[in-house]
Amino acid sequence: MTRLLYQGVPGVADSSASILFTSRVGPGAPGLDFETGDRTDPKLHEECGVVAIHNHAHAAHQAYLGLYALQHRGQESAGIATADGHHLANIKGMGLVSEIFTDDVLQKLPGHMAIGHTRYSTTGDSALLNAQPIRVDSTKGLIAIAHNGNLVNLGNLRERLERDGAYFQTTSDSEIIVQLIAHSAADTLVDAIADSLSQVEGAFSIVMMTRDRIFAARDPRGFRPLSMGRMKNPDGHETIVFASESCAFDLLRAEFIRDVLPGELVMVSQDGVTSRQFASGVPQSSCVFEHVYFARPDSRIFGRWVQESRDQMGRQLARESGVSADVVVPVPDSGVTAALGYAEQAHIPFRLGLIRNHYVGRTFIEPEQRVRDFGVRLKLNPVHNLLAGKRVILIDDSIIRGTTSRKIVRMVRGAGATEVHLRISCPPTISPCFYGVDTPSKRDLIAANQSVDEIRRYIEADSLAYLSLDGLLSCVQDDKKPGYCTACYTGNYPTQWVDVEDILPATVSS
Ligand code: SF4
C-alpha cells in the first residue's frame, strides 16, 4: 500500500503537520516511507519530470497523464497539486505515478489548474517529505512548486536565508526557491519569483502554482528541457500545458507551441499568457546527455527531435569507428535508435539480439552484489539464434563503472557470438554531473581512471570505441546552436559552483 501525504485536500485531514516539522530525513527516520536508492546502479539517472496544466476541467487527471508519459525521468515518487482559485491541494507519495494516483485519489484533487512532478532521488534523500510538489504557505501566499534539476549554490543561499530567519522543512532545492520568494523585497509575486530565480545558480526547469496562476521557468543556461503546449477543448476554451518533454503533449493531445526559453519566466492566468526574461546574456549550456540517453526519442527538446539526434549519433559512430561484423545489436532500450542509425550507415543488418524484460522491478536497490548480478540477467536476455556464430557490434549509450558492460559482453559471447565489438554513442564519461543527474564521483567512473584500451580489456570486448565529442556535437546542433553542457565528458563546467572534492583527479586504480 502506497503511503500518501495530503496537504490542503478537501475532506481529508492534513497529513503534513507531523512530517513537515521533521527537520531532516534519512534511512531509519520513523514514520516515513522511503526507499534507498543504490548508487551502484549501472545507468545514470535523471532526477525529475515536471508538468503543469492551466484551465482544464479535469486538471488533476491531465497532470496524471502528463506524468505518466514522463515516468522515465523518475520512478521513486510522484505528486500532483491542484488549485481552483481558492484552495490549493497537494497529494504525493512514493512509487510510480499509476501506483499513487488511482481514480479515487485523483478525485480528491479538484480544480482547473495542476502541477505535477515525478522524481528519482539518491540515497538518504528519497523520503516522502522531499517528494514534490512542495506546498508552502509563505508571506506571498500559498505556493506549490515542482522542480527538475539541481541548484549548485545551495549552501550559500541556505545559510543566508537561515540567518534571515528562514526555517527549512525539507532538504529539497525547491524550498530554497520558495524561501527566496518569501524573503524577497519585491512588491508583487511575479517580481519576487523573478528576483529569487535570478539569485539561484545551476539547473532548474520549474513549474509553480498559486491559487489562481501558473508559472514556468528555465534557468539562464537552459540545462533541462521545458516545453509549452496548448489544448483546444470541445467548448472552445484553451488549456495551456507545460512539460519536461514534448512526449507528454502527445498523450494529452496537446499541440507543441515552443520551448520555455533559458532565463524566461512565463505566467499563465485568466488574463492569458505573459512572459519576461529574469536573466539574459548567459551562454546556453543545455544538457547534451538528454539527447544521448534521458529524453524519450519521441520528444522534441532544445529544438530537435531526440530520435533524429540518436540516429545521427549511430551514423557518426559508424563513420568514426566502423568494424567488419555480421550484425548490429542494441543494448535495449536506449541503444536502439543509435543502433538503427549505425546499421544503416554501415550496411550491416540490425538485429534485436538482446531482449529487455520491462516488468522487472527495482532490483538495483538490493544491497548485495550477488543480487545485482542477477538483476542484469533478469533485465536482459540474449536471443541465441541471432547471436550464435556471429560477429556482433553492440551499441550502448554509456559505460559508467564498466561492470554492467562486462556482463552484457559476456552474455553475448555466452550466446555463441564469435566477436563482440562495443560502440558507445557518446564520449567517455570522465566527470560527475552537478546539474540534476545522479552520477558517481570521479573515482567510480571507469573512464576517469582507465584508458579506452584498459576499459576494453576489463569489459572483455574484442574492440571498444566511443563517439568523439565533435562527432556528438555535430549530431545535436544546427548551425552550432544551441550551446551544450558537455561537462561529464570534458570536466569543463559551465557554472562556477561545483563540488571540488568530486572533481579532483581520480586515483588511477590498479
Ligand atoms: S554534466 Fe553531463 S549529464 Fe550533467 S548537465 Fe552536463 S552534459 Fe548533462
Side-chain angles (χ1 to χ4, degrees), residues 355-426:
I355 301 299
R356 183 182 169 93
N357 183 344
H358 290 96
Y359 305 100
V360 177
R362 289 171 238 166
T363 54
F364 68 86
I365 67 169
E366 295 292 342
E368 294 175 30
Q369 183 67 36
R370 179 180 57 79
V371 179
R372 279 199 298 274
D373 287 351
F374 187 60
V376 173
R377 284 189 286 128
L378 273 177
K379 286 177 187 165
L380 289 178
N381 197 40
V383 184
H384 290 253
N385 67 317
L386 290 179
L387 301 172
K390 299 288 195 314
R391 295 169 301 161
V392 174
I393 300 174
L394 265 181
I395 309 288
D396 203 354
D397 49 48
S398 53
I399 301 177
I400 306 304
R401 292 179 173 81
T403 49
T404 301
S405 300
R406 181 163 69 170
K407 286 171 201 161
I408 295 171
V409 169
R410 283 179 179 172
M411 181 182 281
V412 171
R413 218 185 281 283
T418 54
E419 294 175 19
V420 183
H421 303 275
L422 184 59
R423 296 292 179 270
I424 304 297
S425 61
C426 65

Side-chain angles (χ1 to χ4, degrees), residues 94-383:
M94 305 302 292
L96 299 175
V97 176
S98 58
E99 293 168 351
I100 298 164
F101 292 102
T102 59
D103 279 349
D104 188 42
V105 173
L106 283 172
Q107 276 173 14
K108 294 185 170 71
L109 287 167
H112 62 281
M113 303 193 305
I115 64 170
H117 190 264
T118 181
R119 182 171 196 249
Y120 169 81
S121 188
T122 55
T123 306
D125 188 32
S126 56
L128 183 55
L129 178 62
N130 278 321
Q132 296 186 34
I134 289 177
R135 176 186 179 271
V136 180
D137 197 357
S138 79
T139 51
K140 302 283 191 298
L142 268 177
I143 301 174
I145 182 169
H147 166 214
N148 170 33
N150 203 42
L151 305 184
V152 292
N153 59 338
L154 268 183
N156 285 32
L157 288 172
R158 208 178 171 99
E159 260 175 51
R160 201 188 82 207
L161 285 162
E162 280 172 345
R163 271 201 309 275
D164 289 351
Y167 173 70
F168 283 88
Q169 299 170 337
T170 72
T171 57
S172 159
D173 291 11
S174 306
E175 197 186 348
I176 298 259
I177 294 168
V178 175
Q179 294 280 8
L180 283 169
I181 294 168
H183 283 77
S184 170
D187 291 333
T188 66
L189 178 64
V190 67
D191 286 343
I193 292 173
D195 179 36
S196 74
L197 295 182
S198 67
Q199 296 176 57
V200 292
E201 176 86 78
F204 54 87
S205 282
I206 288 177
V207 290
M208 271 179 276
M209 185 172 64
T210 61
R211 289 184 171 100
D212 57 2
R213 281 175 287 178
I214 294 264
F215 299 87
R218 264 175 95 199
D219 69 77
R221 290 181 177 81
F223 278 102
R224 300 279 149 233
L226 185 62
S227 300
M228 179 163 66
R230 71 162 74 84
M231 297 152 69
K232 289 277 184 212
N233 294 288
D235 64 0
H237 81 266
E238 188 174 83
T239 298
I240 296 292
V241 299
F242 296 90
S244 291
E245 290 182 36
S246 65
C247 64
F249 297 163
D250 297 338
L251 197 54
L252 294 169
R253 296 182 185 275
E255 168 198 355
F256 175 90
I257 302 176
R258 66 175 178 88
D259 286 340
V260 176
L261 299 175
E264 183 184 16
L265 171 63
V266 181
M267 182 176 81
V268 190
S269 70
Q270 272 190 326
D271 301 327
V273 180
T274 57
S275 158
R276 65 198 284 181
Q277 287 293 131
F278 64 88
S280 58
V282 182
Q284 187 167 347
S285 56
S286 296
C287 172
V288 76
F289 205 54
E290 292 274 357
H291 273 293
V292 174
Y293 169 65
F294 289 129
R296 273 177 38 169
D298 51 341
S299 287
R300 179 164 49 174
I301 59 164
F302 312 141
R304 287 184 64 88
W305 286 102
V306 176
Q307 182 279 333
E308 173 65 18
S309 297
R310 287 191 194 154
D311 178 78
Q312 291 298 326
M313 288 170 207
R315 290 174 188 276
Q316 182 64 18
L317 195 51
R319 285 190 285 268
E320 290 183 7
S321 55
V323 59
S324 185
D326 302 310
V327 287
V328 174
V329 172
V331 176
D333 292 322
S334 49
V336 169
T337 312
L340 278 165
Y342 189 107
E344 273 196 25
Q345 182 70 34
H347 303 292
I348 297 173
F350 170 92
R351 294 287 182 267
L352 287 170
L354 289 169
I355 301 299
R356 183 182 169 93
N357 183 344
H358 290 96
Y359 305 100
V360 177
R362 289 171 238 166
T363 54
F364 68 86
I365 67 169
E366 295 292 342
E368 294 175 30
Q369 183 67 36
R370 179 180 57 79
V371 179
R372 279 199 298 274
D373 287 351
F374 187 60
V376 173
R377 284 189 286 128
L378 273 177
K379 286 177 187 165
L380 289 178
N381 197 40
V383 184

Side-chain angles (χ1 to χ4, degrees), residues 223-224 287-289 433 435 437 485-488:
F223 278 102
R224 300 279 149 233
C287 172
V288 76
F289 205 54
C433 176
Y435 309 120
V437 175
C485 173
T486 57
C488 48

